Amino acid sequence: MILTQEKAPPVAKITHGTVIDHIDPGKSLLIVRLLQLDQEMKTISMGLYLPSPTMGSKDILKIENRFLTREEASKIAVISPKAVINIIRDGTVVEKYPIEIPEEIEGFIFCPNPQCITHAEKIKEKFAVERCCDKVRLRCHWCEFPFFQEHNLEYKY
Amino acid sequence: MNHLISMRDWDREKIQNFLQLADQVEMMAPQQPLKGKIVATCFFEPSTRTRLSFETAVKKLGAKTIGFSEGESTSTKKGESLSDTIKVVSDYADAIVIRHPLGGAARLAASVSSVPVINGGDGGNQHPSQALIDLLTIQKTQGRLDDLHIGVAGDLRCARTVRSLLQACSNFNMRIYLIARRGDELSPDLIDHLRKKGTLFSFHENLEEVLPKLDILYMTRWQAERRGGNTPFIPKDPLMLKISSLKNVKHNLRILHPLPRVNEIDSENDETPYAAYFAQAHLGVPVRMAILLNLMTGDA
């Protein structure tokens, strides 16, 4: 059968692994780097800025033979709070859940406040996470500085 | 163990109980309730009122002080971390008062200290003991904390006293007027906080138009040091309170300022019945006595 361009899926299906759908557009590369998926030599398929009836535009990530932990999913929540995790086994979606926004996250973002003590002392960054309208707002545990996840944040890879 | 780090950790009941203690604490002083104790004042930033009033409070309660008034005279100049400094100092003292130029320093100190830590000001973040002084002053001059019209004017963006005061005030039924030049307005997260707490507030650039409505006017200075400058830079058109502005004010209006002032309150105002900023500074001692007593003996 010849697949026409219109009928070919934008990102190929996987047999076993994780599909992260409804990623904020342009954020999938960041997720790959943050979770260090690029160092695991697993097959990763990525769709960037795909049309989405609910979001307007979205990314999608499909990782073969890799099952994300809940802790890893919570990191994604800060970058892309509307993301949905699909666990695939034998080509079938066996589990599907929206990202849970954690109450607190540690260690993978630098506080964007240049006057925060975390830039002068060797202490673990810690942030309270709260929903603010449709967005996720983080507040530094130490300096109480609040910021949104869309800010040009510096991540620890 | 309890610490005093941020007004975010305080609610209405806790504030009211504390102010009751602060009102009575000077009567307890003759008993020397902290005799034999040592309080370390670790000031990495300049201070007049906060450091000296804490030291006076310590002495009035029968304790002694150790400490420093600038970080340059300590081993932090050799590269020692704040964490190590606090761990060592907390071995020598029964409580620590810390002031530091970086936000979060007090909370870090509390996380490594084996004794209570009191935040004397951390960067542009919090100054909780000042907020408690401000509330006691308001209570004493107005007879209450609810149903008041409070104007907060000046550098709302960078002043840590404003952050702490507004978080404290949001626990009471106060109508807030936020008066600032363009660019000095209150940060969005504090505005959000006031909204969530149900506080009624409004924004203004003109001090004179708001003055007749106020019971309390809280003035703050331009915070050059929070903007990366070390000189007392004064903007071209600062918000200033002139004596001529006080023509149609309420008779119970009181003007507060955490001090130091630069030029935002003309000294002509000092002799008017409205000036309460020096009385406010005087209350620094009993409030800080109450803080020390509360944390070091558990009395509340």
Side-chain angles (χ1 to χ4, degrees):
Chain A
M1 181 177 105
I2 297 166
L3 286 172
T4 64
Q5 200 160 345
E6 290 78 47
K7 286 190 180 158
V11 186
K13 286 185 178 182
I14 61 171
T15 313
H16 297 287
T18 305
V19 173
I20 312 172
D21 199 355
H22 295 102
I23 299 171
D24 282 9
K27 293 288 167 78
S28 48
L29 282 166
L30 175 58
I31 291 173
V32 168
R33 286 193 68 192
L34 205 59
L35 299 182
Q36 297 181 330
L37 298 172
D38 50 337
Q39 293 171 28
E40 292 183 20
M41 316 271 272
K42 305 272 186 211
T43 303
I44 301 174
S45 312
M46 199 183 296
L48 296 165
Y49 298 99
L50 301 174
S52 164
T54 51
M55 291 172 69
S57 180
K58 68 174 184 182
D59 283 6
I60 192 165
L61 262 178
K62 297 187 181 185
I63 313 139
E64 286 274 7
N65 297 315
R66 176 62 156 86
F67 301 95
L68 285 190
T69 63
R70 292 263 170 176
E71 191 194 331
E72 287 171 322
S74 71
K75 284 187 181 176
I76 297 171
V78 172
I79 299 161
S80 200
K82 294 179 202 149
V84 175
I85 305 286
N86 298 266
I87 303 294
I88 314 291
R89 292 188 197 276
D90 296 321
T92 307
V93 177
V94 297
E95 197 184 348
K96 181 172 183 155
Y97 57 91
I99 293 284
E100 275 170 35
I101 314 273
E103 285 183 1
E104 199 178 81
I105 55 164
E106 278 190 19
F108 71 93
I109 303 176
F110 290 106
C111 178
N113 175 14
Q115 299 296 309
C116 178
I117 192 70
T118 56
H119 301 303
E121 295 275 318
K122 280 189 183 141
I123 47 173
K124 207 171 195 181
E125 291 84 357
K126 226 193 300 186
F127 305 92
V129 185
E130 50 197 47
R131 267 221 183 268
C132 185
C133 308
D134 218 11
K135 301 176 188 178
V136 166
R137 184 167 63 193
L138 297 105
R139 183 182 298 278
C140 178
H141 166 78
W142 304 103
C143 73
E144 302 183 18
F145 185 77
F147 54 98
F148 286 97
Q149 98 272 16
E150 299 110 43
H151 280 178
N152 200 13
L153 299 178
E154 218 181 311
Y155 292 88
K156 290 176 151 186
Y157 298 112
Chain B
M1 185 185 316
N2 289 322
H3 309 278
L4 173 62
I5 305 299
S6 167
M7 288 316 295
R8 287 175 64 85
D9 305 327
W10 285 59
D11 59 24
R12 183 186 172 102
E13 190 185 347
K14 192 169 173 179
I15 292 172
Q16 286 175 320
N17 288 341
F18 175 83
L19 294 181
Q20 217 170 0
L21 173 66
D23 219 10
Q24 298 158 0
V25 75
E26 287 192 295
M27 290 189 291
M28 301 175 187
Q31 292 148 38
Q32 304 274 275
L34 295 185
K35 189 171 181 176
K37 302 282 188 186
I38 304 231
V39 176
T41 55
C42 302
F43 278 65
F44 295 86
E45 256 194 337
S47 170
T48 300
R49 276 147 294 274
T50 305
R51 188 171 66 85
L52 294 180
S53 62
F54 264 114
E55 292 187 0
T56 303
V58 167
K59 289 175 164 115
K60 284 197 165 192
L61 292 170
K64 294 194 165 134
T65 60
I66 58 171
F68 49 86
S69 57
E70 53 180 82
E72 292 282 294
S73 62
T74 69
S75 288
T76 51
K77 196 167 160 87
K78 300 177 202 168
E80 184 171 36
S81 68
L82 177 64
S83 299
D84 281 0
T85 303
I86 297 298
K87 279 178 192 167
V88 169
V89 171
S90 69
D91 235 5
Y92 300 155
D94 301 291
I96 296 173
V97 183
I98 178 171
R99 172 174 280 192
H100 196 280
L102 295 179
R107 203 171 285 282
L108 169 60
S111 72
V112 300
S113 170
S114 54
V115 300
V117 169
I118 299 163
N119 185 4
D122 64 323
N125 185 31
Q126 289 278 341
H127 197 349
S129 66
Q130 183 62 52
L132 293 169
I133 294 166
D134 299 338
L135 286 182
L136 185 63
T137 311
I138 294 171
Q139 185 166 272
K140 279 190 174 294
T141 58
Q142 305 296 324
R144 64 190 191 280
L145 289 175
D146 287 307
D147 306 316
L148 291 171
H149 291 247
I150 314 275
V152 183
D155 189 355
L156 307 189
R157 188 159 74 91
C158 293
R160 60 190 171 203
T161 54
V162 167
R163 292 189 72 81
S164 295
L165 176 64
L166 287 176
Q167 281 166 356
C169 287
S170 67
N171 291 292
F172 299 92
N173 182 30
M174 293 181 179
R175 171 67 166 90
I176 307 284
Y177 300 80
L178 300 164
I179 310 144
R181 290 163 56 248
R182 214 158 279 201
D184 298 342
E185 301 97 339
L186 200 65
S187 66
D189 77 295
L190 264 183
I191 294 169
D192 200 41
H193 175 85
L194 292 176
R195 209 167 266 141
K196 277 189 183 152
K197 293 284 261 182
T199 303
L200 283 176
F201 59 92
S202 51
F203 303 101
H204 308 268
E205 284 186 57
N206 187 320
L207 181 54
E208 274 75 26
E209 79 183 22
V210 171
L211 267 172
K213 303 179 190 183
L214 302 180
D215 301 301
I216 293 284
L217 171 64
Y218 190 90
M219 297 284 297
T220 57
R221 70 178 166 87
W222 174 264
Q223 310 276 313
E225 69 276 24
R226 306 284 166 231
R227 288 177 164 80
N230 289 319
T231 54
F233 165 75
I234 295 143
K236 263 190 211 166
D237 53 344
L239 220 53
M240 285 170 64
L241 179 68
K242 298 182 188 120
I243 197 161
S244 54
S245 309
L246 298 176
K247 274 185 291 213
N248 299 313
V249 298
K250 291 184 185 178
H251 72 277
N252 63 309
L253 170 72
R254 292 296 179 266
I255 303 163
L256 272 56
H257 192 304
L259 301 177
R261 63 176 164 181
V262 180
N263 68 347
E264 57 280 355
I265 299 183
D266 198 287
S267 55
E268 287 180 315
N269 292 287
D270 296 358
E271 302 308 317
T272 68
Y274 311 112
Y277 27 93
F278 291 117
Q280 178 188 3
H282 174 80
L283 289 175
V285 173
V287 166
R288 283 156 178 154
M289 287 168 72
I291 289 168
L292 288 163
L293 213 52
N294 197 349
L295 293 179
M296 294 173 74
T297 66
D299 282 348

